[in-house]
Amino acid sequence: MNVLNAVKDALDAGPSAKSTPDDGSKGAYWCDDCGNRIRDVDLEGEPVCPDCGEELRFERATGRGCAC
């Protein structure tokens, strides 16, 4: 097996767009102090960290099934 086939197989094994939830999420809110992550569709009220009370930072999804 050559390198190109190995890379293609690795990419094919990853999550497909069909496996990600279609719930309208555009990203997640992050707490830089605690490392907490709350998806935008799961957040109720103001975007503050439930652990430390600091304001959360919003990051948009990259289309890879995560907000990294």
Side-chain angles (χ1 to χ4, degrees):
M1 180 180 290
N2 65 31
V3 174
L4 293 177
N5 285 339
V7 171
K8 183 181 181 295
D9 291 344
L11 291 174
D12 289 342
S16 68
K18 294 178 184 177
S19 68
T20 58
D22 186 19
D23 56 5
S25 177
K26 302 294 182 204
Y29 288 91
W30 292 83
C31 178
D32 292 321
D33 293 335
C34 299
N36 286 336
R37 176 185 179 265
I38 303 172
R39 293 180 64 226
D40 60 344
V41 293
D42 296 332
L43 184 68
E44 295 178 13
E46 297 295 318
V48 294
C49 179
D51 293 337
C52 70
E54 290 294 317
E55 185 175 344
L56 298 172
R57 174 177 50 88
F58 183 75
E59 287 193 1
R60 292 180 42 172
T62 61
R64 296 180 300 207
C66 68
C68 42

